[in-house]
Amino acid sequence: MHDRVVVRRLEGEQKTAGGIIIPDTAKEKPMEGEVVSVGSGARNEQGQLVALDVKAGDRVLFGKWSGTEVKINGEELLIMKESDIMGVIG
């Protein structure tokens, strides 16, 4: 996987601040997730392995269109480069 991470999307809010329930068809996909797995890292220009800054279990924010969606054992996951992650929460 090199510099890629596997992320599970976390469910967004089911209601608006005013209490209106949002149907599944109108919801946007959440841009927050939990890191499931990380690669060993990328190689720099000298050929040395540079470890990733995120680790399994981290809650992260990522862009709306980041990553590639895959379905593994019925679970929808995202595979993205570490550089697509905007930040770690918490």
Side-chain angles (χ1 to χ4, degrees), residues 54-82:
V54 295
K55 60 188 179 308
D58 284 350
R59 289 180 62 145
V60 296
L61 291 175
F62 48 87
K64 185 181 272 190
W65 308 110
S66 296
T68 302
E69 292 183 357
V70 295
K71 198 168 200 174
I72 300 173
N73 296 330
E75 183 178 20
E76 289 187 18
L77 301 169
L78 285 169
I79 298 175
M80 66 181 69
K81 287 190 166 221
E82 185 189 34

Side-chain angles (χ1 to χ4, degrees), residues 29-42:
K29 292 189 177 185
M31 295 183 296
E32 182 178 336
E34 178 184 0
V35 176
V36 176
S37 178
V38 298
S40 57

